[in-house]
Amino acid sequence: MTGKRGEETFRHDGRIVIVGASLAGLRAAEALRDEGFTGSLTLVGDEACEPYDRPPLSKQVLTGWVPANGTALPRRREIGAEWLLGVPASALDLAGKRVELADGREIPFDKVLIATGVRARLWADEAEAALDGVFVVRTCDDSGRLGERLAAGPGRVLVIGAGFAGSEIASVCRERDIPVTVAEVAEAPLVGALGSMIGSIAANLQRAHGVDLRCGVKVTRLEGDERGRVRRAHFSDGGTVDADVVVVALGGVRNTEWLRDSGLAAGVWGVACDSGCRAFDVNGLVTDDVFVAGDVARCPHPVYEYRFLSLEHWANAVEQAQVAAHNMVSSPTDRWPHLSMPTFWSTQFGVNIKSVGVPILSDEVVVTQGSVEEHRFVAAYGYRGRVTAAVSFDNAKWLDHYRHLIETAAPFPPSCPTPDQPAGMRPVPAHFPDPVIITHGATVVVTGHEPSERRVAFARPGG
C-alpha cells in the first residue's frame, strides 16, 4: 500500500525494529512515539541492561563520583516497546524483512533502524589481553571493574593510546594521585582528532600534571607473572615500564559484522547512508525501509563537500536518531536531512576542551583568542581559505560564533571580534596523520566523498 493512506496505515499498524538499545536507539524510539507512530516497536540490544550514558564512564565513574550502575539514560516518555536485551543481532534478511538474533529467533519488520554503535578495540594478543589487570573502557561493567581497581591504589597504570578516552583516563589517574604512563604511537596526544599543533599543547598539559608521556612508541608486548597478572609492558624503542593496571584505549570497532551478507553498504567504516539516514545497498542505491543512526552511521555532510563522515559524538547520536525517526514515518516530501554541525567535548587535567566542526578536514590552524601558555584559548581551523572547525580550551563561549563562520564558508584566517587576540597570530600547518594508521581512533573519521544535491545554499567563490 502506497500514498497517504499507506503512510497512515503504517503509522498505526506498522512494525519497526531498532537494532541497538543505547543512546541513539532509545532516542529514536522516543522520537517515533512523538511523531505519532502507534505500531509495533521492538528494541534489540546485546547488553542485558537498559540504555545508559557512556561519556561518564571514562570520567565521573572512574573518579568514584558516580557508580557504574548510576548512568542510566533518563526516559523522556513511555515508548511502549518490546525490549529484547542481552542477545545480539546476528543477521539482517532484507528480502524476508526480518532481523535474526544470535539465539535463533527471527523478528519481522516493515522498517528497521540500525544503531549498533561501536565496541572497544581489544588488545590484539588474546593471551595478553586476558591477563589480570588489562582493561578496556566501553561498557558500564568495564568502567565499574576499572574503577574498583583504581580505588585500590595500583602502583602504576599504563594507558595505551592518547586519544580522548585514553587522555581522560590518564587525567583520572593523576586526580587520584596514581602514577600513570601513557604510550602513544603518534607524535602527541589527540593528534588524530586535533592535529599536531594542538596535540603538542595537550602533551605539555599532560606532562605538567605528572604524566609519564611516551610518544612515537608502540607497545609491543604485555608481560604477566606466574599468577597471570600483568606486570610489565615492552615498547618498540626497547624500553619497558612496570605496571599492574593496563588500560587499552585504542578506539572503537564499528558493529557491522552482523550485516556482512545483508546486501547493505556496510564495512569497517560503518553503514553508508544518505543525509536522511536511509542506508545504501552494495550497489550504492538508497533503501526505503532501512535507516541508520549514531556511531555506526556513515553519511555525507554538505558543508564538507559531501564527504562521508563517521562521527562518534553524543550530540550526533541524538540528533541523527531524531532525523531517522522522523523520516521513517514521513512522506518523501517531508523528510529531513541531517545537517547538524559536529560538536564534541572532553574534560581532562582540569581543562574543558570543546570543538565545533571537523578539524581533520583542515590544512591549517591558528590560535585566534586567548593564551596557549595559560591553556585558555580558541584555535580556528581552515581548508583552502575557508573556516572548517574550531577548538577551545576553557574558552567555549565563542564557539557559536565559529559555528556561524563554518556554516557560512567564512574566509580563513577569520577576523576575531574580541580584544584577546594574540599578537602576531599566524596560521601553521594542522598536520593530521592518515586516519588509516590511527590506532586509537578519532572522534571523526573521513571515509569517502559523494557529490549530491541537498537542501543547502552553495557558497560561490567571490560571491
Side-chain angles (χ1 to χ4, degrees):
M1 186 179 296
T2 59
K4 188 172 183 60
R5 180 178 297 180
E7 293 166 13
E8 290 303 315
T9 299
F10 174 73
R11 276 179 176 266
H12 292 296
D13 302 320
R15 300 169 299 179
I16 291 180
V17 175
I18 299 175
V19 185
S22 192
L23 175 64
L26 175 61
R27 293 297 178 245
E30 293 170 337
L32 283 167
R33 295 307 191 199
D34 288 340
E35 291 278 347
F37 178 73
T38 58
S40 168
L41 185 56
T42 303
L43 278 84
V44 177
D46 59 352
E47 293 187 69
C49 56
E50 293 193 12
Y52 56 87
D53 211 10
R54 295 189 189 275
L57 299 184
S58 59
K59 305 177 182 73
Q60 293 91 337
V61 171
L62 296 185
T63 61
W65 295 350
V66 176
N69 60 1
T71 63
L73 287 167
R75 299 292 184 86
R76 297 178 175 176
R77 59 162 297 154
E78 291 296 325
I79 59 175
E82 178 184 13
W83 293 80
L84 302 179
L85 300 178
V87 55
S90 59
L92 180 66
D93 180 356
L94 293 183
K97 286 202 164 185
R98 57 179 180 260
V99 175
E100 299 175 12
L101 305 186
D103 62 6
R105 283 179 290 175
E106 298 181 347
I107 314 301
F109 65 83
D110 296 310
K111 294 186 180 182
V112 62
L113 173 64
I114 298 169
T116 44
V118 302
R119 64 185 184 276
R121 188 182 301 278
L122 304 178
W123 188 244
D125 187 292
E126 292 185 6
E128 294 175 7
L131 290 170
D132 180 28
V134 177
F135 297 87
V136 295
V137 177
R138 181 64 190 177
T139 70
C140 61
D141 288 342
D142 294 336
S143 188
R145 287 191 294 268
L146 177 58
E148 291 176 359
R149 192 63 63 94
L150 295 182
R156 177 168 293 274
V157 173
L158 168 65
V159 179
I160 305 176
F164 282 102
S167 297
E168 289 170 0
I169 293 165
S171 175
V172 168
C173 289
R174 295 310 301 137
E175 186 175 338
R176 284 181 169 269
D177 200 28
I178 298 170
V180 59
T181 296
V182 175
E184 168 57 49
V185 70
E187 61 185 278
L190 310 183
V191 165
L194 300 179
S196 61
M197 192 272 275
I198 301 299
S200 65
I201 298 170
N204 292 336
L205 182 65
Q206 291 201 15
R207 291 186 172 117
H209 283 79
V211 175
D212 172 27
L213 177 63
R214 307 189 187 189
C215 296
V217 297
K218 183 178 181 181
V219 176
T220 56
R221 183 166 65 92
L222 299 178
E223 180 184 337
D225 61 18
E226 68 280 356
R227 299 176 62 181
R229 299 173 300 189
V230 70
R231 282 293 176 260
R232 184 174 293 109
H234 296 257
F235 299 136
S236 57
D237 62 359
T240 64
V241 67
D242 291 342
D244 38 14
V245 171
V246 173
V247 185
V248 179
L250 297 177
V253 178
R254 288 171 177 80
N255 292 314
T256 59
E257 292 88 350
W258 68 287
L259 299 169
R260 184 170 291 119
D261 299 318
S262 65
L264 295 178
V268 295
W269 298 115
V271 183
C273 62
D274 70 359
S275 64
C277 302
R278 296 179 300 169
F280 287 121
D281 69 12
V282 293
N283 297 309
L285 297 174
V286 71
T287 59
D288 290 321
D289 301 325
V290 183
F291 292 75
V292 196
D295 295 354
V296 76
R298 174 177 174 260
C299 64
H301 200 297
V303 171
Y304 296 101
E305 300 177 340
Y306 302 98
R307 286 182 174 91
F308 279 90
L309 304 179
S310 299
L311 306 173
E312 295 181 28
H313 296 164
W314 191 95
N316 178 75
V318 173
E319 294 165 2
Q320 202 167 42
Q322 293 171 336
V323 170
H326 172 82
N327 291 345
M328 292 179 89
V329 296
S330 298
S331 65
T333 58
D334 190 37
R335 286 176 178 153
W336 296 342
H338 176 53
L339 303 177
S340 296
M341 189 58 56
T343 60
F344 78 87
W345 67 276
S346 174
T347 300
Q348 48 190 268
F349 304 101
V351 174
N352 183 254
I353 303 173
K354 291 189 175 182
S355 174
V356 61
V358 182
I360 64 172
L361 290 177
S362 311
D363 52 15
E364 292 184 293
V365 60
V366 60
V367 175
T368 53
Q369 296 177 238
S371 167
V372 168
E373 291 73 18
E374 296 175 4
H375 297 134
R376 182 180 178 84
F377 64 90
V378 179
Y381 292 81
Y383 179 69
R384 294 181 180 176
R386 57 164 287 189
V387 178
T388 52
V391 64
S392 68
F393 278 47
D394 272 351
N395 199 2
K397 64 182 180 181
W398 281 95
L399 285 188
D400 280 345
H401 166 71
Y402 290 91
R403 179 196 301 270
H404 176 71
L405 296 181
I406 298 165
E407 293 174 340
T408 56
F412 178 89
S415 59
C416 183
T418 65
D420 61 345
Q421 178 175 329
M425 71 172 197
R426 292 184 302 174
V428 298
H431 285 316
F432 286 93
D434 186 337
V436 173
I437 64 173
I438 298 173
T439 58
H440 53 68
T443 56
V444 183
V445 176
V446 182
T447 58
H449 184 274
E450 178 72 8
S452 178
E453 290 187 4
R454 294 268 74 87
R455 282 171 276 179
V456 295
F458 284 92
R460 303 296 182 187

